[in-house]
Amino acid sequence: MNINTQPLSGFMELLPGEQAEFDRLKNLIEQTYNLFGFTSLDTPLIERSEILLAKGSSELDTQIYFVNNGLYAKEPNSIALRFDLTVPLARYVAEHNESLTFPFRRCHIGKVYRGERAQRGRFREFYQCDIDIIGKNKLSVYYDAELPSVIYQVFKRLNIGAFKIKISNRKIFNGLFEQFNITAPFSEVLRIIDKALKVTTEELVEEFTGLGLDNSQIENLLKFMEVRGSVEDVISRLAALNIQNALFEEGLSELKIVIQTLELLGVEKDYYEIDLGIVRGLDYYTGTVYETVLQDSRIGSVCSGGRYDDLASHYTKEKHPGVGISIGLSRLFWQLKEFGLLQNINKTIAQVVIVPNDSTNLPTAISVAAYLRNHSIKTDLLLEDMPIKRKFAYIDKLNVPHAIVVKTVNDTEVLSLQHKESDGSIKKQELTKEEILKQIL
Amino acid sequence: MNINTQPLSGFMELLPGEQAEFDRLKNLIEQTYNLFGFTSLDTPLIERSEILLAKGSSELDTQIYFVNNGLYAKEPNSIALRFDLTVPLARYVAEHNESLTFPFRRCHIGKVYRGERAQRGRFREFYQCDIDIIGKNKLSVYYDAELPSVIYQVFKRLNIGAFKIKISNRKIFNGLFEQFNITAPFSEVLRIIDKALKVTTEELVEEFTGLGLDNSQIENLLKFMEVRGSVEDVISRLAALNIQNALFEEGLSELKIVIQTLELLGVEKDYYEIDLGIVRGLDYYTGTVYETVLQDSRIGSVCSGGRYDDLASHYTKEKHPGVGISIGLSRLFWQLKEFGLLQNINKTIAQVVIVPNDSTNLPTAISVAAYLRNHSIKTDLLLEDMPIKRKFAYIDKLNVPHAIVVKTVNDTEVLSLQHKESDGSIKKQELTKEEILKQIL
């Protein structure tokens, strides 16, 4: 009896009402992905370790959950739980290359595992909600524009607050660095650029000098950093910098196409902007990058992604460029819960619960349940014989929108529909089952 | 490059069209469960090993997939993947007892892991689709009747062929054994009863004698085995046996209530029967038991379950009787696929694909896609520039119901809606986007 029944540390476990809300958000994300033609995949949670480790050493390697079973006794740790959904996609594309139609739009919502240090709101088992479009040999930049339109629809529908999709292109930075011969580490330069709004120009210059940049390099960087404003402004000011570098020009041209296409796709202007700085931390990507932030600063970034040159280079000789995004749903849900931003927390999925007053009312209660279920109403039914007070406690605890009490009044059975009004008062009506169906629908 | 990209042996991996059909069946099962007020749970896939092993040695113990990670280095094999959804439910109920409302209706559709010997159609990672109703201290037998009505709705909606729900009650057998002092192993006696239709009465008697049964015991068993027929016949013939044993009578009375309530619940008579013999192999259960079989004998049993006295006795002192069923969806799906019984195998989830004839038609193609998506049509969009022949190959390979080709005819852009008729011919119409929307809806 001394067994610990708590879920493992770092593993989210929800109560029924929270779970219903989590599932509502998850289904909404998947349905929106499907709307854009992304077809759902569901690959095994366990992969060969060599697949997961193929990319070479990274922080993720130390976090892998290895799996062992008598079947693999000769090769301990030869299989493991996936740490993301991108590696399984790469393996899937390599394996099923001949059966897939490219460009291949896939959506995958599933759990992944990372043995990270325990932290509030960081999980070791968590849901990722990914979409990717994978090409064969090439992939048009127009696809880069479709993804922000998916993000836009997803967060509009989730209805969890104002958000902004930030867009940039890594080639712009890479071209700039190439053009001005900046050899200092990319991430270090970006770290300083990130501080720009918080420190004086003198302090900035000092920091850049510390990285070994010369005056001309610093001057060019400062000029570049002044590029801000509306999407049109940013694009015209980038062009006006007149940087004659092929990579820079390619990045700028791609950024232009993405912005123009967003308008055709009907994405409202308020919901996106160009933020050149977001390339930081998105090392994996090679072209367009995205980062979506909620205006509620306690939450911040909720979705990121971008364009990559070759998805499956570790598993196949075929070249597969792609573009994708990922939403970390478990963390987002935890934050919404933590900050009191969740709506609709009932204790059950049912729309109505039926309660017989006593055992003579049981047959009618059962047949009314069958009637409502046949009309697609999610119906709970209390069949346990218990004191009426506890029956009302059952209705109350479930916090369900409607309750029907079946009782006998003057030798006649009646259905009493009870509905909690927005002011907390209970409205009771005696109705037929047909009238009740109409009210609930 | 020599990495094996095949999924692990015993792990199902589906192509997009198959996956869409799998998901359709899975969602249909979950929606039907929800219709009966079962609220969905989603517990961690990893449990403490002591939780999984608490029940004591069984075949399942040797099949456990243990999980290891640096975080648990001091205690190797201390955590593991679940092998069913019942143990996690028991732990969940023990842990969250105070927060739950009993009787608690929960539904759980999730993957479980068993390191079984590899066999065609047997999986090491597979989906179980479970529902259970859990009481606190007691649980009315009326709940036992609700579950077959769920099974009935599920398999009607899945529409995968004729089926029969077989119902029995273990107390009837237990009472019989008690009454006639039969001490031979339950499973051995049942094994012989199972053969009844295939062998002569003399051979039966011989086998029973071999188990040490005396003449009077054998005579009573043979009388019992003659009980067959319609549900009414079985019940009246069981009563006519006039067995004065409390357990037997309890079982018979429960069986009566279940059968009567099924009628109130609107379950058609053709879809269920009493089959006393199904208690075999369902050792875990203590009262009502169910087994559902498809008429297609290549498939056979697709769903089983029953009543149990105490769900969580290994984890809590509280007593939780329950009743539940489980559908093994991965195996069922594999069988449907194997026997050619799957419908609707497209290559994508999209309802329509839009293809611009050349790059000048790109803007219109994009805005028509945005229009259809805004009207909830799942829309794929081909943005890659490729020869027109390959564009048609793309449409063809996706096997999507509708395609729209955007092209310029006499300086005017037109939308050509192409729809494959049931005879395989392609019907083409030039339409406005509004007309197309109407046709697809």
Side-chain angles (χ1 to χ4, degrees):
Chain A
M1 282 303 176
N2 284 321
I3 290 184
N4 182 355
T5 58
Q6 284 186 318
L8 289 166
S9 167
F11 286 67
M12 185 187 267
E13 179 160 278
L14 301 174
L15 288 170
E18 298 166 345
Q19 187 69 56
E21 180 63 4
F22 185 93
D23 290 350
R24 190 182 69 82
L25 301 181
K26 179 159 75 75
N27 292 339
L28 220 156
I29 294 172
E30 184 162 26
Q31 283 157 15
T32 311
Y33 286 169
N34 291 161
L35 190 61
F36 285 77
F38 291 86
T39 191
S40 301
L41 287 190
D42 177 7
T43 64
L45 272 100
I46 305 179
E47 294 280 354
R48 288 188 177 81
S49 300
E50 59 173 352
I51 290 281
L52 297 174
L53 298 168
K55 209 176 165 183
S57 68
S58 89
E59 203 194 344
L60 288 171
D61 291 1
T62 65
Q63 300 176 347
I64 286 184
Y65 283 90
F66 291 101
V67 174
N68 286 292
N69 170 283
L71 296 168
Y72 312 91
K74 284 183 189 161
E75 299 168 272
N77 291 355
S78 63
I79 61 173
L81 296 174
R82 64 189 179 204
F83 54 75
D84 71 9
L85 301 175
T86 306
V87 170
L89 173 63
R91 181 192 56 70
Y92 186 93
V93 167
E95 174 67 18
H96 304 288
N97 206 289
E98 292 305 313
S99 308
L100 301 176
T101 310
F102 295 97
F104 173 49
R105 291 168 186 256
R106 93 85 172 77
C107 132
H108 193 170
I109 297 185
K111 287 178 170 179
V112 303
Y113 297 82
R114 294 184 192 176
E116 288 192 80
R117 205 164 45 85
Q119 264 183 78
R120 263 177 73 72
R122 284 272 169 203
F123 296 96
R124 291 172 179 165
E125 175 187 68
F126 56 96
Y127 272 97
Q128 285 195 332
C129 309
D130 282 20
I131 45 173
D132 289 86
I133 303 171
I134 309 298
K136 197 163 186 164
N137 300 317
K138 59 178 187 161
L139 184 72
S140 162
V141 67
Y142 282 93
Y143 286 107
D144 295 21
E146 253 199 309
L147 291 198
S149 78
V150 184
I151 302 174
Y152 165 74
Q153 286 293 344
V154 165
F155 285 95
K156 284 283 262 190
R157 286 155 192 239
L158 286 178
N159 190 24
I160 51 173
F163 63 91
K164 189 81 88 176
I165 306 166
K166 299 178 174 199
I167 302 170
S168 182
N169 192 305
R170 208 178 165 90
K171 289 176 187 168
I172 292 175
F173 261 102
N174 288 350
L176 198 77
F177 274 51
E178 193 177 273
Q179 185 67 12
F180 300 125
N181 250 318
I182 299 174
T183 54
F186 200 76
S187 59
E188 285 298 300
V189 176
L190 284 173
R191 192 181 51 76
I192 296 169
I193 290 179
D194 253 14
K195 289 193 202 169
L197 292 175
K198 296 171 209 152
V199 299
T200 65
T201 307
E202 277 154 20
E203 285 170 311
L204 272 184
V205 171
E206 198 176 312
E207 292 228 34
F208 282 137
T209 309
L211 279 182
L213 271 62
D214 66 26
N215 285 349
S216 138
Q217 288 172 328
I218 294 174
E219 199 180 314
N220 279 304
L221 270 183
L222 291 177
K223 228 191 283 174
F224 176 76
M225 286 163 61
E226 279 163 21
V227 174
R228 279 207 194 78
S230 69
V231 290
E232 293 83 1
D233 282 356
V234 172
I235 287 174
S236 66
R237 291 174 73 178
L238 281 175
L241 288 177
N242 205 16
I243 294 172
Q244 309 282 330
N245 173 283
L247 202 55
F248 181 93
E249 283 167 4
E250 197 177 309
L252 180 55
S253 145
E254 288 178 0
L255 190 58
K256 262 192 221 166
I257 291 176
V258 168
I259 296 297
Q260 285 160 3
T261 308
L262 278 182
E263 194 151 356
L264 278 174
L265 282 162
V267 182
E268 290 172 275
K269 284 218 155 189
D270 282 354
Y271 290 88
Y272 61 93
E273 66 181 20
I274 298 174
D275 181 344
L276 296 169
I278 60 160
V279 290
R280 190 186 165 202
L282 300 172
D283 302 351
Y284 176 62
Y285 302 107
T286 51
T288 307
V289 288
Y290 325 98
E291 181 152 2
T292 303
V293 294
L294 291 197
Q295 210 152 55
D296 187 324
S297 61
R298 296 171 299 181
I299 296 183
S301 177
V302 288
C303 171
S304 59
R307 157 73 72 142
Y308 39 90
D309 279 339
D310 197 358
L311 171 73
S313 60
H314 301 292
Y315 316 121
T316 174
K317 283 171 195 160
E318 301 262 7
K319 195 176 158 141
H320 291 291
V323 59
I325 55 160
S326 182
I327 300 174
L329 182 58
S330 299
R331 180 169 169 74
L332 173 58
F333 184 83
W334 181 88
Q335 290 173 313
L336 294 173
K337 185 179 153 187
E338 187 74 3
F339 304 136
L341 300 173
L342 287 182
Q343 306 138 5
N344 312 319
I345 301 295
N346 294 319
K347 289 277 179 72
T348 169
I349 196 139
Q351 297 163 270
V352 60
V353 54
I354 302 179
V355 176
N357 187 64
D358 65 40
S359 61
T360 61
N361 305 122
L362 212 49
T364 301
I366 291 169
S367 60
V368 172
Y371 171 79
L372 292 176
R373 287 164 178 167
N374 274 336
H375 289 85
S376 300
I377 303 293
K378 296 187 205 88
T379 305
D380 194 351
L381 174 59
L382 183 62
L383 292 166
E384 196 67 50
D385 188 25
M386 44 170 89
I388 190 72
K389 216 173 139 187
R390 285 198 41 220
K391 287 182 179 174
F392 280 108
Y394 179 84
I395 296 176
D396 224 46
K397 279 183 79 180
L398 283 182
N399 194 23
V400 76
H402 303 275
I404 301 168
V405 178
V406 185
K407 57 187 176 184
T408 306
V409 181
N410 301 329
D411 291 337
T412 310
E413 265 192 326
V414 296
L415 308 180
S416 168
L417 178 68
Q418 319 202 339
H419 175 68
K420 203 182 262 177
E421 300 289 295
S422 53
D423 65 2
S425 66
I426 307 274
K427 186 177 156 198
K428 294 184 192 179
Q429 299 166 275
E430 284 183 15
L431 299 170
T432 64
K433 65 183 180 184
E434 290 82 6
E435 289 166 339
I436 286 174
L437 176 63
K438 255 190 230 162
Q439 287 233 0
I440 296 175
L441 278 173
Chain B
M1 283 304 175
N2 284 322
I3 291 184
N4 182 355
T5 58
Q6 284 187 317
L8 290 165
S9 167
F11 286 66
M12 185 187 266
E13 179 159 278
L14 301 173
L15 288 171
E18 299 166 342
Q19 187 68 56
E21 181 63 3
F22 184 94
D23 291 351
R24 190 181 70 81
L25 300 181
K26 179 157 76 75
N27 292 338
L28 220 157
I29 294 171
E30 183 161 27
Q31 283 158 14
T32 311
Y33 286 169
N34 292 161
L35 191 61
F36 285 77
F38 292 85
T39 190
S40 301
L41 288 189
D42 177 7
T43 64
L45 272 101
I46 306 180
E47 296 279 354
R48 288 187 178 81
S49 299
E50 58 173 353
I51 291 281
L52 297 173
L53 299 169
K55 209 177 166 183
S57 69
S58 89
E59 202 194 345
L60 288 172
D61 292 3
T62 65
Q63 300 176 348
I64 286 184
Y65 283 91
F66 291 101
V67 174
N68 286 291
N69 170 282
L71 295 168
Y72 311 90
K74 284 183 189 161
E75 299 167 273
N77 291 356
S78 62
I79 60 175
L81 295 175
R82 63 188 180 203
F83 53 76
D84 71 9
L85 301 175
T86 306
V87 170
L89 172 63
R91 180 192 59 69
Y92 185 93
V93 167
E95 174 67 18
H96 303 289
N97 206 290
E98 293 304 313
S99 309
L100 300 176
T101 309
F102 294 96
F104 173 49
R105 290 167 187 258
R106 92 87 173 74
C107 131
H108 193 170
I109 296 184
K111 288 178 172 179
V112 303
Y113 296 82
R114 295 185 192 175
E116 288 191 80
R117 205 163 45 87
Q119 263 183 80
R120 263 177 73 74
R122 285 272 168 203
F123 296 96
R124 292 172 178 165
E125 175 187 69
F126 57 96
Y127 272 96
Q128 285 195 333
C129 309
D130 281 21
I131 45 172
D132 289 85
I133 304 172
I134 309 298
K136 197 164 187 164
N137 300 317
K138 58 178 187 161
L139 184 72
S140 163
V141 68
Y142 282 93
Y143 287 107
D144 295 20
E146 253 198 310
L147 292 199
S149 78
V150 184
I151 301 173
Y152 165 73
Q153 286 292 345
V154 165
F155 285 95
K156 285 283 262 187
R157 286 155 194 241
L158 286 179
N159 191 25
I160 51 174
F163 62 93
K164 188 83 86 175
I165 306 167
K166 299 178 173 199
I167 303 172
S168 183
N169 192 305
R170 208 181 165 90
K171 289 176 187 168
I172 292 176
F173 261 102
N174 288 349
L176 198 76
F177 275 50
E178 194 177 271
Q179 183 67 13
F180 301 122
N181 251 319
I182 300 173
T183 53
F186 200 77
S187 59
E188 286 298 300
V189 177
L190 284 173
R191 192 182 49 78
I192 296 169
I193 291 181
D194 253 14
K195 289 194 203 166
L197 292 175
K198 294 171 212 150
V199 298
T200 65
T201 308
E202 276 153 22
E203 286 169 311
L204 271 184
V205 171
E206 195 175 315
E207 292 229 32
F208 282 136
T209 310
L211 279 182
L213 272 61
D214 66 26
N215 285 348
S216 137
Q217 288 172 330
I218 293 175
E219 199 181 314
N220 280 304
L221 269 184
L222 290 178
K223 228 190 285 172
F224 176 76
M225 285 164 62
E226 279 164 19
V227 175
R228 280 205 195 80
S230 70
V231 290
E232 293 82 1
D233 283 354
V234 173
I235 285 174
S236 65
R237 292 175 73 177
L238 281 174
L241 289 178
N242 204 17
I243 295 173
Q244 308 283 329
N245 174 282
L247 201 55
F248 181 92
E249 284 168 1
E250 199 179 306
L252 180 54
S253 144
E254 289 178 1
L255 191 57
K256 264 192 220 163
I257 291 177
V258 168
I259 295 298
Q260 285 160 5
T261 308
L262 278 182
E263 194 151 354
L264 277 174
L265 281 163
V267 181
E268 289 171 274
K269 284 216 155 190
D270 281 353
Y271 290 88
Y272 60 93
E273 68 182 18
I274 298 175
D275 181 343
L276 295 168
I278 60 158
V279 291
R280 188 182 168 206
L282 300 171
D283 303 350
Y284 175 64
Y285 303 108
T286 52
T288 307
V289 287
Y290 323 99
E291 181 151 3
T292 303
V293 295
L294 291 197
Q295 211 154 55
D296 188 323
S297 61
R298 295 171 297 180
I299 295 184
S301 176
V302 288
C303 172
S304 59
R307 157 74 71 142
Y308 40 88
D309 279 340
D310 198 357
L311 171 73
S313 60
H314 301 292
Y315 316 121
T316 173
K317 284 172 194 158
E318 301 263 7
K319 195 176 157 141
H320 291 291
V323 60
I325 54 160
S326 182
I327 300 174
L329 182 58
S330 299
R331 180 166 169 74
L332 173 58
F333 184 83
W334 182 87
Q335 290 173 313
L336 294 174
K337 186 178 152 187
E338 188 73 3
F339 304 135
L341 300 172
L342 288 181
Q343 305 139 3
N344 311 318
I345 301 295
N346 293 318
K347 289 276 181 70
T348 169
I349 194 138
Q351 298 164 267
V352 59
V353 54
I354 302 179
V355 176
N357 188 63
D358 65 40
S359 62
T360 61
N361 306 120
L362 212 48
T364 301
I366 292 170
S367 59
V368 172
Y371 171 81
L372 292 177
R373 288 164 178 167
N374 274 337
H375 289 85
S376 300
I377 303 294
K378 298 189 204 87
T379 306
D380 193 353
L381 174 60
L382 182 62
L383 292 166
E384 196 67 50
D385 189 25
M386 45 170 90
I388 192 69
K389 217 173 138 184
R390 285 198 43 221
K391 287 182 180 174
F392 280 106
Y394 178 85
I395 297 175
D396 223 45
K397 279 183 79 178
L398 283 182
N399 193 22
V400 76
H402 303 275
I404 301 168
V405 177
V406 185
K407 57 186 176 184
T408 307
V409 181
N410 302 330
D411 290 340
T412 310
E413 265 191 327
V414 297
L415 308 180
S416 167
L417 178 68
Q418 318 202 339
H419 174 68
K420 203 182 264 178
E421 299 290 295
S422 51
D423 66 1
S425 67
I426 307 275
K427 185 177 156 198
K428 293 183 192 182
Q429 300 165 275
E430 285 185 12
L431 299 170
T432 65
K433 64 182 180 186
E434 291 81 7
E435 290 166 339
I436 287 175
L437 176 63
K438 254 189 230 163
Q439 289 234 359
I440 296 176
L441 276 175

